[in-house]
Every structure is written in C-alpha cells, then in structure tokens.
Amino acid sequence: MSVPHVRTIRFILSALLCIASAIPRTGHAQTAQVQWNDVDRTIVFADVHGAGTELRELLRETGVVDAEDRWVAGTAHLVSLGDLLDRGPDARGVMDLLMRLQGEARTAGGQLHVLLGNHEAMNLMGDLRYVDAREYAAYTDLEPAAEREAARKAWEKGPCTTLCPGFDEKFPPGFFGRRAAFAPGGRYGQWLLAQPVAIRINDTLLMHAGPAGILRGMSLQELNLRYRTALIDGLQHPGAEAEFPLLSEAGPNWYRGAALCNEVAEADVLLPLLQQFGAARLVIGHTPTRNSRVVSRFDGKVIKLDTGMNRAAYRGRPSALVIERSGISVRYTGQREPAQVEPEGLFVAPDNLADADVMTVLRDGSVGVLEKHGTGEFKVTAVLNGRQVPAVFQSRSASAIRKELAALQLDRLLGLGIVPATVEREVQGMRGLLQARPQKWMTQVEVQQQGVRGSGWCSVEPQFQLMYALDALLGNELRTAESMVWDTEDWHFYATAFTQAFGTDRGLPAWLRARPPTPGAELRRRLGTLDDRKLSTALGAYLEANARRAILTRRDALLALTLPATLP
C-alpha cells in the first residue's frame, strides 16, 4: 500500500471516528433512575427509523403532543424502544423532537425515556451501512467547509482511479458534520450515550430486542452501567466490539430469542430473567411483526411492538402500546378506536404462514408436480388462493398415517411446534401424508454430507432436547438423521417420522436410555398438564386407550428425570 494512500485512510478514519481523547464521563455514570412504580399511563413506540412524519402523527393521535408538537401528556411516561436512526431521511428531526420533549415532559411531571437500539449503537461506533443517503444533507450546517475541503484533497491525493467512487459519492455533503454530531462529545453522540438500554415501569420491562442468558445475575442498574461502559470502551477501541458481549448478538439490543425462538425452549431463558428484573411482561421492538400488528407471545408475557413505522421501508403502520391501570391497548394511526394486543399464534414450517393456514393449504390446496425424494416420498408444492406451501408427500399405510397424525396432535397439544403440519391426502392415486416443509430445507443427512455450518438466533441444543423429550413421550423407537429437518434460512429444527412410536412399552426408547432427555422447566410444566381426558380428546381418533395410558406413564418417567442444573 502506498504511503499517500495510508495517509488518506488515516485522515478519513480520524474524521469518521471523531474519538475524543477524553470522552465525557459526567452524565454517563449510571446514576439515573431506571425503575419506576405507580405510573398511571405509559405510551410505548418502537423503531421509528427516521420516519419523522409518522412519529408526529402517532404522538398527536395518542394525545402525547398537540398540533404544534408540544408535550400535553401530563404525568404520563413515553418510551421509545430504540432504532430512531437509519433507513429513513428524518432521523435528526426525530432526535431533535425527542430531546425537546424530554425537557417538556419533566417540567409537566412526566417522563420521556429513549432506549438505545442496535442502530444507535451502530452509528455511535461508526457503522453507517444503513444511513439513508438523503439524511446526510440535514447535517451540512455542522460541517466546516475547511474540513470538507481538506478531506477532499487527501482523498484526491490517494491512489484511487476511475474504479473508486468520487469523493462526493463516498462522503456526501453533510457526512463529516453528521460524524461530528455523533462523536462522544457531539450534540447527538453525547445525548445518546446518556440514554439507558433497558428500564422497568411498574411491572413492564422495556428494551429494544430482548434478554439473553448473558444478563443472568445482573440488576437493571448494573445492566445499564455495564452496557454504557462497554459502549464507551468500544468507542475507544474501534474494531474490538467482539470483546464486549453486551454489544454482541446476545446483547439487549440485538437478541431475538424472545421474538423468534421456540416458546417452550426460550421460556427457560426468558421467564427467570423477567423474575430477576421484577417484571411480569417484556415489551420489545427490533423484530418486525409478520402482519404489521402488535402481537404477543408466551401467553402475553412478551409484546412485539415493531409494526414497521417507516412505511416506505417496511410497508407497515405506526403503532403505540398504551399501558394503563385499567389494562393494555394498542393505537394505530388512522384508527379511532383502540385495539387489543393479538396473540401471534404458532408459526412452524414454513414460518411465513400461521400454522392453521398451512394446514388449510395442505388439506384443500392443489398439489404441484412431484419430484422423487426417497422411497415412496416426493417433494411437492401445495397451492391455495395464492398461498404456496413447500411439502413432502409420503405414501404410507393406514397405521403409519394414524401415528404421524397422532404425533402432530400431541405436539400441538403441548404447543411445541417441532412437528410440521401434516394431513392425510390422496395424490395421483396414492394414499399417504402431505407434510409441510420450510421454504429452504435440508435433512440432517444432507447437512452432514455437505458440511454445512448454519447459524441462527435460536440455540440448537434446546431444540434437540424438545425432540428427545417428544420421542421419549411417544415411545419413538427409531430416530434417524434423515428424519431430522432444518430450516436453512433461520436454522429452526423439525422432527418427522413417528411410524415406530406409540407402543405400549412404558419405559424410555432404547436409543434414549444411555443419554436421557433433560426437559426444562417450561416443558415440565406443560407435560404436567396432560391427563387422560386431554389425550382422549386429542388422540382418541388415532390411538387405543392402552397406547394413550402408556404416554402418561412415559410422561411420569420424563418428569422423574433430573432437572438440568444450567438452563440454556
């Protein structure tokens, strides 16, 4: 690398990072309050992403501000769940509005809490991948002309040829002004560094993404202190973010477990952390909901609030969660009456359709061209009213069909969601099973043969433990790598093939005796709800009474196993 180019990079990096030799510490020490009780009204919104017009519309319709955008919500608490920045052109206007409203709210006896999202952290750390190109122009007033010209000359003296972008393309007008504003001592950088990453109001925990296991043992005060320390240390050591776990994908403004992962497995992570922070529920943004509606998971213990406020980027709608002593409701802009929080429901495979819709397509849809996949097995596509479901058709005996359908029913009775939707169908004169698959999938055999190393938000071992426990419950005597299916987009795991299950042997299957399952607390709770009446209702059409009784005996054997000392 040439010396002029090295100098160019050094100059540009210094302008990009703007790391002051003495990062301001006053106001950054975690002494601010992060927990409030006896709050009568809390209004929460998520993921503005530079959509200033939509945010102002939402705040007016929820009675937070008047027609001149002045605080009129009295003693209410208003909470932004983070991601004010990126993807939209008006991020500066959004920050200016909230900075002003913070002061007005305090004067009125209320509060405005701005939580840090992953996009705030990214911008503070100099990661500008998602900055809307139009936004830079808003910072031209902060950009000294002399600094810009010096940067231009350094760039032009570098080794760049016609293959390199032009200076104004690489650094649009306002670029250096924006970076200065987001430096630790800049107007917005200093403000953001003083904001919390998680708070609790009454019995509601609020954070951008969600809590992972790395938060175990921390108080809310300690979490905020550690996060701020990690962020400041990361600013002082650019490029070393991986050394700070709270800034990683397991951190509170990245982790998607509460939003996306299997509820039975993830509950063993989530519920102890809610108890640790003294909360009954968690409200998060970060992960857009599938239908641009506010939805809940974990029997209402998690509320997902990112409904795609930035219409241009997400084609969603602005929404706010209103928490009052009388209850919880949702306000959508343009909708006069408040709405209820809707349960998200079960999404299995493919996870872009609700499970009930997948069942309807499999049962009533037309089945596309068959592609042979194995002995008596074909890859197909079921289509109904424009909805497409990838599937596998398997020619099976009547006995095998009953067992596969019984496995599905028991999976759904427990709310596991690891057995894909399955129906009995006749396809091209063959009788058998039509079973859904993810949009992109591989069996465990194919994963091993091709050496694929997947990664997703959801830990693999807890998903395996659900399969082991289900197999133990069903007395499934055969489990092969061919019957284990991976969604290769998000690496969710599914179990198929139960034709060797539902015998009357009341002990664990032979293949599980050497290494029995370790069912976690939530699965144990659900297993404990099973009784003869429930099994008769769910499985009576498929299994005789002695086979159902054997399930309860094996259930008791599962519950007698030692609870794992360390949960995932």
Side-chain angles (χ1 to χ4, degrees):
M1 184 181 293
S2 68
V3 172
H5 191 57
V6 170
R7 290 172 179 167
T8 300
I9 291 176
R10 286 175 178 169
F11 182 89
I12 299 300
L13 282 178
S14 66
L16 286 173
L17 296 174
C18 298
I19 304 298
S21 58
I23 292 179
R25 298 277 180 173
T26 57
H28 293 164
Q30 183 57 30
T31 57
Q33 185 176 356
V34 292
Q35 301 178 144
W36 288 263
N37 296 310
D38 299 319
V39 176
D40 290 328
R41 187 168 190 253
T42 303
I43 304 101
V44 192
F45 62 89
D47 297 75
V48 179
H49 283 300
T53 299
E54 289 93 330
L55 175 62
R56 290 175 175 83
E57 180 184 9
L58 180 66
L59 296 181
R60 290 167 189 161
E61 292 192 16
T62 51
V64 173
V65 301
D66 61 17
E68 281 72 45
D69 295 330
R70 297 291 176 180
W71 180 271
V72 291
T75 60
H77 284 227
L78 177 66
V79 184
S80 163
L81 292 179
D83 278 8
L84 304 173
L85 309 176
D86 294 342
R87 304 192 190 280
D90 193 23
R92 185 179 183 185
V94 168
M95 289 187 292
D96 286 341
L97 172 65
L98 296 183
M99 291 169 76
R100 173 171 58 78
L101 288 177
Q102 276 187 328
E104 294 179 8
R106 284 193 297 269
T107 299
Q111 292 280 347
L112 196 170
H113 312 280
V114 177
L115 307 187
L116 294 176
N118 59 301
H119 282 266
E120 279 74 47
M122 291 166 68
N123 275 265
L124 288 169
M125 303 289 287
D127 184 343
L128 309 180
R129 284 175 291 168
Y130 301 104
V131 177
D132 188 295
R134 295 168 294 175
E135 190 200 338
Y136 288 111
Y139 297 87
T140 54
D141 62 310
L142 303 178
E143 185 168 273
E147 179 183 358
R148 182 169 186 83
E149 285 310 304
R152 182 189 300 277
K153 290 177 181 178
W155 178 259
E156 292 173 349
K157 289 180 179 177
C160 273
T161 65
T162 55
L163 297 177
C164 296
F167 178 81
D168 288 329
E169 179 183 352
K170 184 70 175 176
F171 307 107
F175 180 92
F176 297 106
R178 188 183 190 280
R179 284 305 308 153
F182 277 85
R187 171 176 170 79
Y188 303 111
Q190 188 169 14
W191 176 66
L192 289 172
L193 284 170
Q195 306 308 311
V197 73
I199 62 173
R200 179 173 61 77
I201 300 177
N202 297 336
D203 60 356
T204 300
L205 178 65
L206 302 116
M207 64 176 62
H208 179 62
I214 64 170
L215 305 189
R216 288 193 192 102
M218 296 185 196
S219 67
L220 203 54
Q221 196 89 357
E222 182 182 0
L223 166 58
N224 279 281
L225 174 60
R226 287 191 180 192
Y227 184 86
R228 181 171 288 112
T229 300
L231 192 54
I232 291 175
D233 286 348
L235 284 167
Q236 292 176 317
H237 303 92
E241 296 88 345
E243 298 178 13
F244 307 104
L246 287 177
L247 302 183
S248 73
E249 291 186 349
N253 56 16
W254 278 102
Y255 183 66
R256 297 185 193 268
L260 295 178
C261 295
N262 184 291
E263 290 191 25
V264 181
E266 188 66 22
D268 292 338
V269 177
L270 172 72
L271 300 185
L273 288 170
L274 284 180
Q275 184 177 27
Q276 173 182 309
F277 293 121
R281 74 182 60 85
L282 168 72
V283 181
I284 53 175
H286 188 51
T287 303
T289 60
R290 292 176 171 90
N291 59 357
S292 299
R293 304 282 295 184
V294 177
V295 296
S296 66
R297 304 188 78 213
F298 300 90
D299 295 323
K301 294 181 179 66
V302 172
I303 297 176
K304 296 167 61 174
L305 193 53
D306 182 1
T307 56
M309 186 180 301
N310 185 327
R311 294 187 181 99
Y314 294 100
R315 299 179 182 177
R317 65 176 78 181
S319 65
L321 188 72
V322 181
I323 306 173
E324 299 172 295
R325 295 187 185 277
S326 59
I328 298 175
S329 61
V330 182
R331 290 295 304 269
Y332 298 102
T333 55
Q335 183 174 313
R336 294 177 62 89
E337 296 299 321
Q340 297 301 307
V341 178
E342 304 166 0
E344 185 176 53
L346 190 63
F347 287 78
V348 186
D351 66 1
N352 63 315
L353 286 178
D355 190 57
D357 293 331
V358 174
M359 289 289 289
T360 300
V361 175
L362 292 179
R363 186 180 59 248
D364 301 330
S366 61
V367 178
V369 178
L370 304 181
E371 173 190 341
K372 194 169 180 61
H373 184 61
T375 304
E377 185 169 307
F378 305 87
K379 287 185 177 181
V380 302
T381 300
V383 181
L384 181 68
N385 298 328
R387 292 176 170 174
Q388 297 188 6
V389 173
V392 167
F393 176 77
Q394 302 163 328
S395 177
R396 294 290 185 266
S397 68
S399 174
I401 290 172
R402 287 196 299 272
K403 290 181 178 182
E404 297 288 351
L405 294 177
L408 172 70
Q409 291 301 314
L410 190 54
D411 174 280
R412 296 306 189 264
L413 180 62
L414 291 168
L416 301 183
I418 63 169
V419 177
T422 309
V423 301
E424 183 178 2
R425 282 288 301 263
E426 182 175 304
V427 176
Q428 294 190 1
M430 296 178 288
R431 200 70 188 171
L433 295 163
L434 190 60
Q435 187 172 74
R437 288 291 185 268
Q439 296 290 350
K440 297 180 180 179
W441 62 278
M442 300 173 72
T443 66
Q444 179 69 8
V445 169
E446 293 167 327
V447 168
Q448 292 169 343
Q449 288 175 344
Q450 298 178 30
V452 178
R453 295 178 63 87
S455 63
W457 288 104
C458 309
S459 299
V460 170
E461 183 58 26
Q463 298 183 71
F464 278 155
Q465 287 299 327
L466 291 182
M467 178 189 70
Y468 299 149
L470 182 61
D471 281 339
L473 186 66
L474 304 186
N476 188 19
E477 295 292 347
L478 181 65
R479 171 61 61 198
T480 67
E482 186 65 40
S483 65
M484 299 160 66
V485 175
W486 288 101
D487 181 333
T488 56
E489 291 188 312
D490 56 24
W491 292 93
H492 288 167
F493 172 79
Y494 304 103
T496 69
F498 297 94
T499 58
Q500 300 299 312
F502 298 109
T504 55
D505 187 340
R506 302 194 174 199
L508 297 180
W511 68 278
L512 282 171
R513 291 171 192 164
R515 189 179 178 185
T518 55
E522 177 61 16
L523 179 55
R524 288 170 176 271
R525 184 190 70 78
R526 298 190 184 202
L527 289 171
T529 67
L530 296 180
D531 56 31
D532 186 65
R533 180 186 60 81
K534 288 184 178 180
L535 292 183
S536 178
T537 300
L539 307 179
Y542 310 108
L543 300 178
E544 298 294 335
N546 60 344
R548 299 197 303 269
R549 287 194 294 269
I551 291 174
L552 292 176
T553 303
R554 290 189 293 265
R555 183 275 309 274
D556 293 340
L558 266 175
L559 293 178
L561 295 171
T562 304
L563 184 71
T566 303
L567 294 173

